[in-house]
Short mmCIF file of all heavy atoms in Angstrom, two decimals:
data_model
loop_
_atom_site.label_atom_id
_atom_site.label_comp_id
_atom_site.label_asym_id
_atom_site.label_seq_id
_atom_site.Cartn_x
_atom_site.Cartn_y
_atom_site.Cartn_z
N THR V 19 0.84 -1.19 0.00
CA THR V 19 0.00 0.00 0.00
C THR V 19 0.89 1.25 0.00
O THR V 19 2.02 1.20 0.46
CB THR V 19 -0.94 0.00 1.22
OG1 THR V 19 -1.76 1.16 1.20
CG2 THR V 19 -0.18 -0.04 2.52
N PRO V 20 0.36 2.37 -0.49
CA PRO V 20 1.16 3.60 -0.43
C PRO V 20 1.23 4.23 0.96
O PRO V 20 2.01 5.14 1.19
CB PRO V 20 0.45 4.53 -1.41
CG PRO V 20 -0.93 4.03 -1.50
CD PRO V 20 -0.85 2.55 -1.27
N ALA V 21 0.42 3.75 1.89
CA ALA V 21 0.40 4.30 3.24
C ALA V 21 1.53 3.73 4.09
O ALA V 21 2.01 2.62 3.85
CB ALA V 21 -0.94 4.00 3.90
N ASN V 22 1.95 4.50 5.07
CA ASN V 22 3.01 4.07 5.99
C ASN V 22 2.41 3.86 7.38
O ASN V 22 1.41 4.48 7.74
CB ASN V 22 4.10 5.15 6.10
CG ASN V 22 4.79 5.38 4.80
OD1 ASN V 22 5.09 4.45 4.07
ND2 ASN V 22 5.05 6.64 4.49
N VAL V 23 3.05 3.02 8.16
CA VAL V 23 2.71 2.88 9.56
C VAL V 23 3.55 3.89 10.31
O VAL V 23 4.78 3.89 10.19
CB VAL V 23 2.99 1.45 10.06
CG1 VAL V 23 2.73 1.34 11.55
CG2 VAL V 23 2.16 0.45 9.30
N THR V 24 2.91 4.78 11.05
CA THR V 24 3.64 5.85 11.73
C THR V 24 3.27 5.90 13.21
O THR V 24 2.30 5.28 13.65
CB THR V 24 3.32 7.23 11.12
OG1 THR V 24 1.96 7.54 11.39
CG2 THR V 24 3.56 7.24 9.63
N ALA V 25 4.03 6.69 13.94
CA ALA V 25 3.74 6.93 15.35
C ALA V 25 2.74 8.10 15.51
O ALA V 25 2.46 8.49 16.63
CB ALA V 25 5.01 7.23 16.11
N LEU V 26 2.24 8.61 14.40
CA LEU V 26 1.29 9.72 14.46
C LEU V 26 -0.01 9.33 15.19
O LEU V 26 -0.63 10.18 15.82
CB LEU V 26 0.94 10.20 13.05
CG LEU V 26 2.01 11.03 12.36
CD1 LEU V 26 1.69 11.15 10.88
CD2 LEU V 26 2.10 12.39 12.98
N THR V 27 -0.40 8.09 15.08
CA THR V 27 -1.62 7.65 15.75
C THR V 27 -1.51 7.81 17.26
O THR V 27 -2.43 8.30 17.91
CB THR V 27 -1.92 6.18 15.39
OG1 THR V 27 -1.94 6.06 13.97
CG2 THR V 27 -3.23 5.73 15.97
N LEU V 28 -0.40 7.40 17.80
CA LEU V 28 -0.18 7.51 19.24
C LEU V 28 -0.15 8.97 19.67
O LEU V 28 -0.80 9.35 20.66
CB LEU V 28 1.13 6.82 19.62
CG LEU V 28 1.53 6.86 21.08
CD1 LEU V 28 0.54 6.09 21.92
CD2 LEU V 28 2.93 6.31 21.25
N VAL V 29 0.56 9.80 18.94
CA VAL V 29 0.65 11.22 19.29
C VAL V 29 -0.69 11.92 19.06
O VAL V 29 -1.07 12.81 19.82
CB VAL V 29 1.79 11.90 18.50
CG1 VAL V 29 1.81 13.39 18.75
CG2 VAL V 29 3.11 11.28 18.89
N GLY V 30 -1.43 11.50 18.03
CA GLY V 30 -2.77 12.06 17.81
C GLY V 30 -3.69 11.79 18.98
O GLY V 30 -4.44 12.68 19.41
N CYS V 31 -3.65 10.59 19.52
CA CYS V 31 -4.46 10.28 20.70
C CYS V 31 -4.00 11.09 21.90
O CYS V 31 -4.83 11.58 22.67
CB CYS V 31 -4.40 8.79 21.00
SG CYS V 31 -5.25 7.77 19.81
N LEU V 32 -2.70 11.25 22.05
CA LEU V 32 -2.17 12.07 23.15
C LEU V 32 -2.68 13.50 23.04
O LEU V 32 -3.12 14.08 24.03
CB LEU V 32 -0.65 12.03 23.12
CG LEU V 32 0.08 12.88 24.16
CD1 LEU V 32 -0.11 12.27 25.53
CD2 LEU V 32 1.54 13.00 23.81
N ILE V 33 -2.65 14.06 21.84
CA ILE V 33 -3.14 15.42 21.64
C ILE V 33 -4.62 15.50 21.97
O ILE V 33 -5.08 16.45 22.61
CB ILE V 33 -2.87 15.86 20.19
CG1 ILE V 33 -1.38 16.12 20.00
CG2 ILE V 33 -3.68 17.09 19.82
CD1 ILE V 33 -0.98 16.37 18.57
N SER V 34 -5.39 14.51 21.55
CA SER V 34 -6.83 14.52 21.82
C SER V 34 -7.15 14.45 23.30
O SER V 34 -8.14 15.01 23.75
CB SER V 34 -7.51 13.35 21.11
OG SER V 34 -7.37 13.49 19.73
N PHE V 35 -6.33 13.74 24.05
CA PHE V 35 -6.59 13.60 25.48
C PHE V 35 -6.06 14.78 26.29
O PHE V 35 -6.50 15.00 27.41
CB PHE V 35 -6.03 12.29 26.00
CG PHE V 35 -6.72 11.09 25.42
CD1 PHE V 35 -6.00 10.01 24.97
CD2 PHE V 35 -8.10 11.04 25.30
CE1 PHE V 35 -6.64 8.90 24.44
CE2 PHE V 35 -8.74 9.94 24.77
CZ PHE V 35 -8.00 8.87 24.33
N ILE V 36 -5.12 15.54 25.73
CA ILE V 36 -4.57 16.69 26.45
C ILE V 36 -5.33 17.97 26.14
O ILE V 36 -5.65 18.74 27.03
CB ILE V 36 -3.07 16.86 26.12
CG1 ILE V 36 -2.27 15.71 26.73
CG2 ILE V 36 -2.56 18.19 26.63
CD1 ILE V 36 -0.80 15.74 26.36
N LEU V 37 -5.63 18.19 24.86
CA LEU V 37 -6.23 19.45 24.43
C LEU V 37 -7.75 19.37 24.38
O LEU V 37 -8.31 18.30 24.13
CB LEU V 37 -5.70 19.84 23.05
CG LEU V 37 -4.22 20.11 22.92
CD1 LEU V 37 -3.87 20.41 21.47
CD2 LEU V 37 -3.79 21.25 23.81
N PRO V 38 -8.42 20.50 24.55
CA PRO V 38 -9.86 20.53 24.30
C PRO V 38 -10.13 20.39 22.80
O PRO V 38 -9.22 20.56 21.98
CB PRO V 38 -10.30 21.90 24.82
CG PRO V 38 -9.08 22.67 25.09
CD PRO V 38 -7.92 21.75 25.11
N PRO V 39 -11.37 20.07 22.42
CA PRO V 39 -11.67 19.76 21.01
C PRO V 39 -11.25 20.84 20.01
O PRO V 39 -10.64 20.52 18.98
CB PRO V 39 -13.19 19.57 21.00
CG PRO V 39 -13.54 19.17 22.39
CD PRO V 39 -12.56 19.86 23.27
N LYS V 40 -11.54 22.10 20.27
CA LYS V 40 -11.18 23.15 19.31
C LYS V 40 -9.67 23.22 19.10
O LYS V 40 -9.19 23.35 17.98
CB LYS V 40 -11.67 24.52 19.80
CG LYS V 40 -13.09 24.81 19.50
CD LYS V 40 -13.39 26.25 19.94
CE LYS V 40 -14.84 26.59 19.73
NZ LYS V 40 -15.13 27.96 20.16
N GLU V 41 -8.92 23.15 20.19
CA GLU V 41 -7.47 23.23 20.08
C GLU V 41 -6.89 21.99 19.42
O GLU V 41 -5.90 22.08 18.69
CB GLU V 41 -6.86 23.43 21.46
CG GLU V 41 -7.18 24.78 22.07
CD GLU V 41 -6.62 24.94 23.47
OE1 GLU V 41 -5.77 24.14 23.88
OE2 GLU V 41 -7.06 25.88 24.16
N ALA V 42 -7.48 20.82 19.65
CA ALA V 42 -7.00 19.59 19.02
C ALA V 42 -7.18 19.68 17.50
O ALA V 42 -6.28 19.36 16.73
CB ALA V 42 -7.72 18.38 19.59
N VAL V 43 -8.35 20.12 17.06
CA VAL V 43 -8.61 20.26 15.63
C VAL V 43 -7.66 21.29 15.04
O VAL V 43 -7.08 21.08 13.97
CB VAL V 43 -10.09 20.62 15.38
CG1 VAL V 43 -10.32 21.01 13.93
CG2 VAL V 43 -11.00 19.48 15.76
N LEU V 44 -7.49 22.40 15.73
CA LEU V 44 -6.60 23.45 15.24
C LEU V 44 -5.15 22.96 15.15
O LEU V 44 -4.43 23.30 14.20
CB LEU V 44 -6.70 24.68 16.15
CG LEU V 44 -5.96 25.92 15.68
CD1 LEU V 44 -6.48 26.38 14.33
CD2 LEU V 44 -6.12 27.03 16.71
N ALA V 45 -4.72 22.15 16.09
CA ALA V 45 -3.36 21.62 16.06
C ALA V 45 -3.15 20.75 14.82
O ALA V 45 -2.10 20.86 14.15
CB ALA V 45 -3.07 20.81 17.32
N PHE V 46 -4.12 19.93 14.48
CA PHE V 46 -3.99 19.09 13.29
C PHE V 46 -4.07 19.91 12.01
O PHE V 46 -3.38 19.61 11.03
CB PHE V 46 -5.04 17.98 13.29
CG PHE V 46 -4.62 16.81 14.12
CD1 PHE V 46 -5.09 16.66 15.41
CD2 PHE V 46 -3.74 15.86 13.62
CE1 PHE V 46 -4.69 15.60 16.18
CE2 PHE V 46 -3.35 14.79 14.39
CZ PHE V 46 -3.82 14.65 15.67
N ILE V 47 -4.88 20.94 11.99
CA ILE V 47 -4.96 21.81 10.81
C ILE V 47 -3.63 22.54 10.61
O ILE V 47 -3.14 22.65 9.48
CB ILE V 47 -6.15 22.78 10.93
CG1 ILE V 47 -7.46 22.00 10.81
CG2 ILE V 47 -6.07 23.88 9.89
CD1 ILE V 47 -8.71 22.81 11.08
N VAL V 48 -3.03 23.03 11.68
CA VAL V 48 -1.73 23.69 11.57
C VAL V 48 -0.68 22.69 11.08
O VAL V 48 0.16 23.03 10.23
CB VAL V 48 -1.32 24.33 12.91
CG1 VAL V 48 0.13 24.76 12.90
CG2 VAL V 48 -2.23 25.49 13.24
N TYR V 49 -0.72 21.47 11.56
CA TYR V 49 0.22 20.44 11.10
C TYR V 49 0.06 20.20 9.60
O TYR V 49 1.05 20.12 8.87
CB TYR V 49 0.00 19.14 11.89
CG TYR V 49 0.75 17.96 11.34
CD1 TYR V 49 2.13 17.87 11.50
CD2 TYR V 49 0.10 16.95 10.65
CE1 TYR V 49 2.83 16.79 10.99
CE2 TYR V 49 0.79 15.88 10.15
CZ TYR V 49 2.15 15.79 10.32
OH TYR V 49 2.84 14.74 9.81
N LEU V 50 -1.18 20.10 9.13
CA LEU V 50 -1.42 19.90 7.70
C LEU V 50 -0.96 21.10 6.88
O LEU V 50 -0.41 20.95 5.79
CB LEU V 50 -2.90 19.61 7.44
CG LEU V 50 -3.42 18.29 8.00
CD1 LEU V 50 -4.92 18.16 7.74
CD2 LEU V 50 -2.67 17.11 7.42
N LEU V 51 -1.16 22.29 7.41
CA LEU V 51 -0.71 23.49 6.71
C LEU V 51 0.81 23.56 6.64
O LEU V 51 1.37 24.00 5.63
CB LEU V 51 -1.27 24.75 7.38
CG LEU V 51 -2.77 24.99 7.18
CD1 LEU V 51 -3.23 26.19 8.01
CD2 LEU V 51 -3.10 25.19 5.72
N LEU V 52 1.48 23.15 7.70
CA LEU V 52 2.95 23.11 7.69
C LEU V 52 3.46 22.19 6.57
O LEU V 52 4.40 22.52 5.86
CB LEU V 52 3.50 22.65 9.04
CG LEU V 52 3.43 23.63 10.20
CD1 LEU V 52 3.85 22.93 11.48
CD2 LEU V 52 4.29 24.83 9.93
N GLY V 53 2.82 21.05 6.44
CA GLY V 53 3.21 20.13 5.37
C GLY V 53 2.83 20.64 4.00
O GLY V 53 3.54 20.43 3.02
N ALA V 54 1.70 21.33 3.90
CA ALA V 54 1.24 21.83 2.61
C ALA V 54 2.16 22.91 2.05
O ALA V 54 2.34 22.99 0.84
CB ALA V 54 -0.18 22.37 2.74
N VAL V 55 2.75 23.73 2.91
CA VAL V 55 3.63 24.79 2.43
C VAL V 55 5.03 24.28 2.11
O VAL V 55 5.86 25.05 1.63
CB VAL V 55 3.70 25.98 3.41
CG1 VAL V 55 2.36 26.62 3.57
CG2 VAL V 55 4.30 25.59 4.72
#
């Protein structure tokens, strides 16, 4: 498959359990924007 197995899943869960929902979504959007640029 073109997909990779990453540690992002673990860190994503950590972010979800630490941050409130708005901040968690915003953190992932900023991450995607960093990669997009």
Side-chain angles (χ1 to χ4, degrees):
T19 180
N22 297 319
V23 176
T24 67
L26 284 166
T27 306
L28 179 66
V29 174
C31 290
L32 177 70
I33 288 172
S34 297
F35 294 135
I36 291 175
L37 297 177
K40 277 185 183 179
E41 292 177 14
V43 170
L44 187 60
F46 277 98
I47 290 173
V48 168
Y49 171 73
L50 293 177
L51 288 174
L52 287 173
V55 298

